[in-house]
Amino acid sequence: MSQELQLDELYRDLILDHYKNPRHRQKVGAPDVTAEGFNPVCGDEIEMELDFDGERLAAIGVRGRGCSISQASASMMSELVEGKTVGEIRGLTDEFQNMMKEPDAPPPASLGDLEALQGVAKFAVRVKCATLAWHTLNEGIDQHEHGDGAVRIEEL
């Protein structure tokens, strides 16, 4: 088996593991913000609870329904961003979105397991699946910064 095929198999296994065993699926006690994301084209849904300690995301809870890409992306994202500052999260969001726009560019090491989703960038329809959780998180952060506690977005 070639090295490229081994890497594809590893990534496929990682995405399926996060889909079948999503991380941060728990409710957050008294979240500062709740955010919902919905993709009306495919029906993917993300519900997110965010609790902040100043500028730091102290806790994140993510639930949802949809394809393996949307749910694995939300799971991997939640592992990466919990404990990070808002500025760090915004930087990671930019890096992830750039990775989705440039499928042939080397993925940033800062994205960790999310590198497994780089292949999705070659399928424009699936990019919205991979980015739904990130857009939902950013809307939640925006609402936190503006003092509003709930938000719902639709990916169009």
Side-chain angles (χ1 to χ4, degrees), residues 39-80:
N39 184 343
V41 175
C42 66
D44 290 339
E45 296 178 0
I46 299 288
E47 300 173 23
M48 198 172 293
E49 295 176 338
L50 308 171
D51 189 40
F52 293 89
D53 181 10
E55 282 293 307
R56 189 165 302 280
L57 180 61
I60 181 171
V62 180
R63 291 173 301 286
R65 292 183 297 196
C67 69
S68 60
I69 299 299
S70 71
Q71 301 307 303
S73 180
S75 176
M76 287 187 256
M77 179 201 71
S78 68
E79 282 196 311
L80 184 64

Coordinates of all heavy atoms in Angstrom, one line a residue, residues 39-80:
N39 N -27.8 23.9 8.0 CA -27.6 23.9 6.6 C -28.8 23.4 5.9 O -29.1 22.2 5.9 CB -26.4 23.1 6.2 CG -26.0 23.2 4.7 OD1 -26.8 23.6 3.9 ND2 -24.8 22.8 4.4
P40 N -29.6 24.3 5.3 CA -30.9 23.9 4.7 C -30.8 23.0 3.5 O -31.7 22.3 3.1 CB -31.6 25.2 4.4 CG -30.6 26.2 4.3 CD -29.5 25.8 5.2
V41 N -29.6 23.1 2.9 CA -29.4 22.3 1.7 C -29.3 20.8 2.0 O -29.9 20.0 1.3 CB -28.1 22.7 0.9 CG1 -27.8 21.9 -0.3 CG2 -28.2 24.2 0.5
C42 N -28.6 20.5 3.1 CA -28.4 19.0 3.4 C -29.0 18.6 4.7 O -29.1 17.4 5.0 CB -26.9 18.7 3.4 SG -26.0 19.5 4.7
G43 N -29.4 19.6 5.5 CA -30.1 19.3 6.8 C -29.1 19.1 8.0 O -29.6 18.8 9.1
D44 N -27.8 19.4 7.8 CA -26.9 19.3 9.0 C -27.3 20.3 10.0 O -27.7 21.5 9.7 CB -25.5 19.6 8.5 CG -24.9 18.5 7.7 OD1 -25.4 17.4 7.7 OD2 -23.9 18.8 7.0
E45 N -27.2 19.9 11.3 CA -27.6 20.8 12.4 C -26.5 20.7 13.5 O -25.9 19.6 13.7 CB -28.9 20.4 13.1 CG -30.1 20.5 12.2 CD -31.3 20.1 12.9 OE1 -31.3 19.6 14.0 OE2 -32.4 20.1 12.2
I46 N -26.1 21.9 14.0 CA -25.2 22.0 15.1 C -25.8 22.8 16.2 O -26.3 23.9 16.0 CB -23.8 22.6 14.7 CG1 -23.2 21.8 13.6 CG2 -22.9 22.8 15.9 CD1 -22.6 20.5 14.0
E47 N -25.8 22.3 17.4 CA -26.2 23.1 18.6 C -25.0 23.2 19.5 O -24.3 22.2 19.8 CB -27.3 22.4 19.4 CG -28.6 22.2 18.6 CD -29.6 21.3 19.3 OE1 -29.5 21.2 20.6 OE2 -30.4 20.7 18.7
M48 N -24.7 24.4 20.0 CA -23.5 24.7 20.7 C -23.8 25.5 21.9 O -24.5 26.4 21.9 CB -22.5 25.4 19.8 CG -21.1 25.4 20.1 SD -20.1 26.1 18.8 CE -20.3 24.9 17.5
E49 N -23.1 25.1 23.1 CA -23.2 25.9 24.3 C -21.8 26.3 24.6 O -20.8 25.5 24.5 CB -23.8 25.1 25.4 CG -25.2 24.7 25.2 CD -25.8 23.8 26.3 OE1 -25.0 23.1 27.0 OE2 -27.0 23.8 26.4
L50 N -21.6 27.6 24.9 CA -20.3 28.2 25.2 C -20.3 28.9 26.5 O -21.2 29.6 26.8 CB -19.9 29.2 24.1 CG -20.1 28.7 22.6 CD1 -19.9 29.9 21.7 CD2 -19.1 27.6 22.3
D51 N -19.2 28.6 27.3 CA -19.1 29.2 28.6 C -17.7 29.9 28.6 O -16.7 29.2 28.3 CB -19.2 28.2 29.7 CG -19.2 28.9 31.1 OD1 -19.9 30.0 31.2 OD2 -18.6 28.4 32.0
F52 N -17.6 31.2 28.9 CA -16.4 31.9 28.8 C -15.9 32.3 30.2 O -16.7 32.6 31.1 CB -16.6 33.2 28.0 CG -16.9 33.0 26.5 CD1 -18.2 32.8 26.1 CD2 -15.8 32.9 25.6 CE1 -18.4 32.5 24.7 CE2 -16.1 32.6 24.3 CZ -17.4 32.5 23.9
D53 N -14.6 32.3 30.4 CA -14.0 32.9 31.6 C -13.1 34.1 31.0 O -12.0 33.9 30.6 CB -13.1 31.8 32.2 CG -12.4 32.3 33.5 OD1 -12.7 33.5 33.9 OD2 -11.5 31.6 34.0
G54 N -13.7 35.2 31.0 CA -13.1 36.4 30.4 C -13.0 36.2 28.9 O -14.0 36.0 28.3
E55 N -11.8 36.2 28.4 CA -11.6 36.1 27.0 C -11.3 34.6 26.6 O -11.1 34.3 25.4 CB -10.4 36.9 26.5 CG -10.7 38.4 26.4 CD -11.6 38.6 25.2 OE1 -11.4 38.2 24.1 OE2 -12.7 39.3 25.4
R56 N -11.3 33.7 27.6 CA -11.0 32.3 27.3 C -12.3 31.5 27.3 O -13.2 31.7 28.1 CB -10.1 31.8 28.5 CG -9.5 30.4 28.2 CD -8.4 30.1 29.2 NE -7.3 31.1 29.1 CZ -6.3 31.1 28.2 NH1 -6.3 30.2 27.3 NH2 -5.4 32.0 28.2
L57 N -12.4 30.6 26.3 CA -13.5 29.6 26.2 C -13.3 28.5 27.2 O -12.4 27.6 27.0 CB -13.6 29.1 24.8 CG -14.7 28.1 24.6 CD1 -16.1 28.7 24.8 CD2 -14.6 27.5 23.1
A58 N -14.0 28.6 28.3 CA -13.8 27.7 29.4 C -14.4 26.3 29.2 O -13.9 25.3 29.6 CB -14.4 28.3 30.7
A59 N -15.6 26.3 28.5 CA -16.3 25.0 28.2 C -17.1 25.2 27.0 O -17.6 26.2 26.7 CB -17.2 24.7 29.4
I60 N -17.1 24.0 26.2 CA -17.9 24.0 25.0 C -18.7 22.7 25.0 O -18.1 21.6 25.3 CB -17.1 24.2 23.8 CG1 -17.9 24.1 22.5 CG2 -15.9 23.2 23.7 CD1 -17.2 24.5 21.2
G61 N -19.9 22.7 24.7 CA -20.8 21.5 24.5 C -21.3 21.6 23.1 O -21.8 22.6 22.7
V62 N -21.2 20.5 22.4 CA -21.7 20.4 21.0 C -22.5 19.2 20.7 O -22.2 18.1 21.1 CB -20.5 20.4 20.0 CG1 -21.0 20.4 18.5 CG2 -19.5 21.6 20.2
R63 N -23.7 19.4 20.2 CA -24.6 18.3 19.8 C -25.1 18.6 18.4 O -25.0 19.8 17.9 CB -25.8 18.2 20.7 CG -25.4 17.7 22.1 CD -26.5 17.8 23.1 NE -27.1 19.1 23.3 CZ -26.5 20.1 23.9 NH1 -25.4 19.9 24.5 NH2 -27.1 21.3 24.0
G64 N -25.5 17.7 17.7 CA -26.0 17.9 16.4 C -26.4 16.6 15.6 O -26.3 15.5 16.2
R65 N -26.9 16.9 14.4 CA -27.2 15.7 13.5 C -26.8 16.1 12.1 O -26.7 17.3 11.7 CB -28.8 15.6 13.5 CG -29.4 15.1 14.8 CD -30.8 14.9 14.6 NE -31.4 16.2 14.3 CZ -32.7 16.4 14.3 NH1 -33.5 15.5 14.7 NH2 -33.2 17.6 14.0
G66 N -26.4 15.1 11.4 CA -26.0 15.3 10.0 C -24.9 14.3 9.6 O -24.8 13.3 10.2
C67 N -24.3 14.7 8.5 CA -23.3 13.8 7.9 C -22.1 13.6 8.8 O -21.8 14.4 9.7 CB -22.9 14.3 6.5 SG -22.0 15.8 6.5
S68 N -21.3 12.6 8.4 CA -20.0 12.4 9.2 C -19.1 13.5 9.1 O -18.4 13.8 10.1 CB -19.3 11.1 8.6 OG -19.0 11.2 7.3
I69 N -19.0 14.3 8.0 CA -18.1 15.4 7.9 C -18.5 16.5 8.9 O -17.7 17.0 9.6 CB -18.1 16.0 6.4 CG1 -17.6 14.9 5.4 CG2 -17.2 17.2 6.3 CD1 -16.2 14.4 5.7
S70 N -19.8 16.9 8.9 CA -20.2 18.0 9.8 C -20.0 17.6 11.2 O -19.6 18.4 12.0 CB -21.7 18.4 9.5 OG -22.6 17.4 9.9
Q71 N -20.3 16.4 11.6 CA -20.3 16.0 13.0 C -18.8 15.8 13.4 O -18.4 16.1 14.6 CB -21.1 14.8 13.3 CG -22.6 15.0 12.9 CD -23.2 16.2 13.6 OE1 -23.2 16.3 14.8 NE2 -23.8 17.2 12.8
A72 N -18.0 15.2 12.6 CA -16.6 15.0 12.9 C -15.9 16.3 13.0 O -15.0 16.6 13.9 CB -15.9 14.1 11.9
S73 N -16.2 17.3 12.1 CA -15.6 18.6 12.2 C -15.9 19.3 13.5 O -15.1 19.9 14.1 CB -16.1 19.5 11.0 OG -15.5 20.7 11.0
A74 N -17.2 19.2 13.9 CA -17.6 19.8 15.2 C -16.9 19.2 16.4 O -16.4 19.8 17.3 CB -19.1 19.7 15.4
S75 N -16.7 17.8 16.3 CA -16.0 17.1 17.4 C -14.6 17.5 17.5 O -14.0 17.9 18.6 CB -16.2 15.6 17.2 OG -15.4 14.9 18.1
M76 N -13.9 17.5 16.4 CA -12.5 17.9 16.3 C -12.3 19.3 16.7 O -11.3 19.7 17.4 CB -11.9 17.6 14.9 CG -11.7 16.1 14.7 SD -10.8 15.8 13.1 CE -12.1 15.3 12.1
M77 N -13.2 20.2 16.2 CA -13.1 21.6 16.6 C -13.2 21.8 18.1 O -12.5 22.6 18.7 CB -14.2 22.4 15.8 CG -14.1 23.9 16.1 SD -15.7 24.7 15.8 CE -16.7 24.0 17.1
S78 N -14.2 21.1 18.7 CA -14.4 21.3 20.1 C -13.2 20.9 20.9 O -12.9 21.6 21.9 CB -15.7 20.6 20.6 OG -15.4 19.2 20.5
E79 N -12.5 19.9 20.5 CA -11.3 19.5 21.2 C -10.2 20.5 21.1 O -9.4 20.7 22.0 CB -10.7 18.1 20.7 CG -11.5 16.9 21.1 CD -10.7 15.7 20.9 OE1 -10.2 15.5 19.7 OE2 -10.6 14.9 21.8
L80 N -10.1 21.1 19.9 CA -9.1 22.1 19.7 C -9.3 23.4 20.4 O -8.3 24.0 20.9 CB -8.9 22.3 18.1 CG -7.8 23.2 17.7 CD1 -6.4 22.6 18.0 CD2 -7.9 23.5 16.2

